Amino acid sequence: MDRDEILSWVKAERLSLADFFESLHDEEWEAASLCAGWTIHDVAAHLTLSTRTTLAGSITGIIRARGNWDRMEADKARDRAAGFGPAELIAQLRETAGSSRRAPGAAPLDPLVDALVHGQDVARPLGRRRDMPVEQTVAALTHVHGSIFYGARKRFRGTQLVATDADWSAGEGPDEVRGPVGELLLLATGRPEGLAGLTGPGVRRLEAVLR
């Protein structure tokens, strides 16, 4: 895919997220997100890090987290949330919305996945709606489905995914799962909240895997 187009998508999502965060009340910043143990504030802090993380910082972080990637990401997000208030994080998100800098090892589409999925992580617990643009979400889902990083290959083994709002399908096997690309993306990134919008014989098995 064209990297300039991907970057334009990422910029638009980051600016949209900044607008979303700006609309929140003070108490909503401390509400739980869909990321276990993360507040909305923590997620906002995490979203400012993809253009600011260095290789040295990643190495130090993974050592401190004793090799646990998820723990490292959580620690970094909470540390940044403790150091910056909502207004500062919103300004930082806007400031680097169009930056092409990525965390070490990240592919061009990873920041788009991050923005789309974390947008749902913060909106859904608050009962707010964030639409996911179909073309961008299809690109993100295709990337996640083929990546070794997100665990989707193992999660979807023997499962065919079929989008109901786009011309997209992937995988093969007896367990078909159908639904909107946004819900499939949530499922692909390990979020059981995506299950509610899906149908098909594979849903029950995936529910057992994710819950």
Side-chain angles (χ1 to χ4, degrees):
M1 292 188 63
D2 182 82
R3 293 198 177 197
D4 288 339
E5 182 175 31
I6 294 172
L7 187 57
S8 73
W9 288 348
V10 173
K11 180 179 180 179
E13 283 301 313
R14 286 171 173 163
L15 291 176
S16 175
L17 279 164
D19 291 342
F20 173 85
F21 287 126
E22 204 160 46
S23 75
L24 299 185
H25 304 300
D26 289 346
E27 63 273 14
E28 289 178 308
W29 280 84
E30 299 312 313
S33 74
L34 295 187
C35 301
W38 292 37
T39 65
I40 305 296
H41 194 160
D42 295 334
V43 176
H46 168 77
L47 286 164
T48 68
L49 284 168
S50 65
T51 57
R52 294 173 170 85
T53 299
T54 63
L55 179 59
S58 294
I59 293 171
T60 301
I62 201 69
I63 291 172
R64 288 176 177 170
R66 300 185 295 281
N68 187 307
W69 181 272
D70 290 338
R71 184 185 297 130
M72 178 191 73
E73 290 295 304
D75 289 347
K76 286 164 59 179
R78 293 187 187 111
D79 287 348
R80 192 164 186 85
F84 296 99
E88 293 171 301
L89 292 173
I90 292 167
Q92 291 168 13
L93 195 55
R94 291 192 193 283
E95 178 188 358
T96 57
S99 174
S100 60
R101 287 191 61 187
R102 302 191 301 273
L109 279 164
D110 284 321
L112 179 65
V113 175
D114 215 34
L116 288 169
V117 174
H118 284 312
Q120 300 303 307
D121 289 336
V122 294
R124 294 192 180 203
L126 299 177
R128 300 199 181 201
R129 181 186 177 94
R130 273 188 62 79
D131 291 328
M132 302 174 77
V134 173
E135 185 180 4
Q136 290 88 322
T137 306
V138 165
L141 177 58
T142 302
H143 173 64
V144 170
H145 189 270
S147 171
I148 62 172
F149 180 76
Y150 297 93
R153 291 183 183 180
K154 180 179 179 181
R155 192 174 300 121
F156 292 138
R157 188 174 295 129
T159 303
Q160 182 181 23
L161 306 180
V162 180
T164 55
D165 57 347
D167 183 17
W168 184 91
S169 64
E172 56 184 25
D175 294 334
E176 184 181 271
V177 173
R178 304 176 64 89
V181 288
E183 305 306 307
L184 293 174
L185 179 59
L186 289 182
L187 196 65
T189 53
R191 286 154 173 83
E193 289 76 13
L195 287 163
L198 303 177
T199 60
V203 171
R204 182 170 294 182
R205 185 185 69 79
L206 289 174
E207 185 174 25
V209 169
L210 288 169
R211 295 193 186 280

